[in-house]
Amino acid sequence: MFEDKTVLTGVKPTGTPHLGNYMAVISPAIKIGSTAKNHYMFIADYHAINAEKDPAVLRQKCQEIACGYLACGLNPDHSVFYRQSDVPEILEFTTILYAYTPKGFMNKAHAYKAFVDKNRAAQKPDDDGINMGLYTYPVLMASDILSFDTDVVPVGKDQVQHVEIARDIAGIINAHYNREILHLPEYYLKENIAIIPGVDGRKMSKSYDNVIPLFADDATIKKAVYSIKTDSRSLEEPKDPDSVLVYQIYKAVASDEQVKEMADGLQQGKLGYGHIKAMLLEAIVNLVKEPREKYNYYMAHFDEVEGMLQNGAAKARPIARRTLDRLKDAVFGR
Ligand code: TRP
């Protein structure tokens, strides 16, 4: 699908990925990247410092996310895999973009507006807790994207606007110099990605404390699976499968055949909640077995991962440098 394209994926270092992250974000990102002509994949640690000021926590989260992607199949020989902070060219680029970015673009950015709304709802001053990193983060994100002449940025809905801002900034610069200095990126909205419910039925999310872990041991996964909400309907009562939370999660992790078996059993009143939880547990344990082993290995041998990230940065920097030089030549009339 993207065989002739340059695709770029940025991930926030959010810590140990859970099943919902894996199904909705990690797995699709790796799949898209593997089909692209060029794939850049980076850990957005400069974005992370806007919110996280504890270096130990930050380092841990970056390690976990790096190991998580590698464990789930990211191939660092194909994808240029780096930490944003190891590619300083992106920051120089950002500074130039500032001069061409209307301040109004930042005022209307969703992430910033959401923060202001939260402050207002809590009757705090609009700018409470908002630092310049958060306010200007669409410019840094534009730089992430434009530095690599990216064709396509796969995103969830919440990031569409940020890619549009990147495109608009590039458009302003190109229009000013009347030639294509920066390549205009497009977003690719990953549609029909199932939102995986958590054990309480809300979207699976660390902030709801309802996740099924991906890299934990069997006992921990079991505990999460057996805490999935059920109701008091009897085993024999025929059930619409989609009204059963365990089934909704099963659909995301099991094969079509397995899903059909569970659906039939529920409709015919032949499977109870104990049965289907055991089926779900087995499917999840199967799914995570191999990535979990790899994850534990990489976490215990982070020096190897560090080497891969350094390697990635060494590949990324000359590309970013080339784009930066092109921009500087235009801006400074060299
Ligand atoms: N802002 C993105 C997020 O919150 C992460 C990100 C940073 C990103 N820079 C990017 C994503 C560049 C795509 C391209 O998830």
Side-chain angles (χ1 to χ4, degrees):
M1 179 175 189
F2 297 122
E3 288 76 12
D4 56 348
K5 302 276 191 232
T6 294
V7 173
L8 177 132
T9 314
V11 289
K12 275 194 304 199
T14 44
T16 314
H18 55 70
L19 188 68
N21 298 140
Y22 174 71
M23 300 306 299
V25 182
I26 301 177
S27 177
I30 292 175
K31 219 170 276 162
I32 291 170
S34 71
T35 68
K37 176 162 159 244
N38 305 303
H39 184 218
Y40 295 93
M41 166 120 215
F42 71 97
I43 300 170
D45 55 352
Y46 265 118
H47 289 275
I49 61 172
N50 297 330
E52 182 56 68
K53 300 290 192 285
D54 181 333
V57 173
L58 200 57
R59 195 186 57 229
Q60 176 77 14
K61 285 184 169 176
C62 287
Q63 290 190 348
E64 288 171 354
I65 205 81
C67 294
Y69 271 85
L70 290 168
C72 294
L74 181 74
N75 174 4
D77 292 328
H78 172 71
S79 300
V80 179
F81 184 41
Y82 56 96
R83 243 180 329 234
Q84 187 183 31
S85 62
D86 290 333
V87 184
E89 288 76 10
I90 296 168
L91 288 307
E92 219 179 312
F93 203 99
T94 307
T95 302
I96 298 177
L97 297 189
Y98 283 140
Y100 296 82
T101 306
K103 176 168 174 276
F105 281 13
M106 304 299 99
N107 294 337
K108 65 171 190 176
H110 295 319
Y112 163 71
K113 273 188 13 194
F115 215 109
V116 172
D117 288 345
K118 223 170 64 191
N119 280 339
R120 287 187 185 162
Q123 309 209 320
K124 290 181 187 163
D126 279 7
D127 285 339
D128 198 75
I130 298 182
N131 55 51
M132 287 303 289
L134 172 69
Y135 184 60
T136 61
Y137 123 52
V139 185
L140 176 56
M141 181 156 161
S143 182
D144 292 330
I145 297 168
L146 300 173
S147 289
F148 294 94
D149 290 330
T150 303
D151 294 311
V152 180
V153 187
V155 286
K157 269 203 207 86
D158 61 322
Q159 295 298 321
V160 166
Q161 187 200 28
H162 296 140
V163 181
E164 286 173 339
I165 291 176
R167 198 182 157 85
D168 289 347
I169 297 173
I172 288 172
I173 291 178
N174 291 346
H176 184 78
Y177 297 100
N178 208 13
R179 62 194 147 100
E180 192 190 289
I181 295 163
L182 301 177
H183 184 66
L184 298 192
E186 282 173 23
Y187 65 82
Y188 168 68
L189 189 58
K190 296 169 279 177
E191 309 250 25
N192 329 313
I193 297 251
I195 292 190
I196 317 273
V199 298
D200 60 358
R202 294 185 291 174
K203 179 185 171 190
M204 191 180 290
S205 162
K206 213 173 293 174
S207 51
Y208 292 150
D209 197 19
N210 65 356
V211 307
I212 299 176
L214 191 55
F215 299 128
D217 56 26
D218 285 1
T220 311
I221 295 176
K222 182 171 180 183
K223 203 171 141 215
V225 167
Y226 279 81
S227 73
I228 295 171
K229 227 164 71 181
T230 51
D231 53 36
S232 56
R233 286 181 288 178
S234 70
L235 190 159
E236 294 78 18
E237 186 179 333
K239 299 173 195 71
D240 170 9
D242 283 318
S243 71
V244 177
L245 183 53
V246 177
Y247 174 78
Q248 291 169 26
I249 302 174
Y250 195 63
K251 272 204 296 198
V253 297
S255 68
D256 291 350
E257 205 178 310
Q258 290 172 314
V259 171
K260 187 173 180 317
E261 189 193 334
M262 188 181 285
D264 290 346
L266 287 166
Q267 271 158 350
Q268 295 160 13
K270 286 187 179 150
L271 285 173
Y273 291 133
H275 297 128
I276 62 172
K277 282 184 172 174
M279 290 163 81
L280 175 62
L281 177 63
E282 195 189 323
I284 293 176
V285 167
N286 253 328
L287 181 78
V288 308
K289 206 180 280 159
E290 198 189 314
R292 182 172 61 189
E293 230 168 79
K294 284 194 192 163
Y295 180 81
N296 289 336
Y297 174 84
Y298 283 129
M299 284 301 282
H301 299 83
F302 195 75
D303 49 331
E304 283 182 31
V305 178
E306 185 61 41
M308 293 180 204
L309 290 168
Q310 291 306 328
N311 219 338
K315 287 189 218 161
R317 290 191 64 183
I319 314 275
R321 168 53 60 187
R322 207 183 53 201
T323 325
L324 175 62
D325 283 343
R326 206 167 69 221
L327 182 59
K328 283 174 90 170
D329 286 350
V331 168
F332 296 112
R334 290 175 179 165

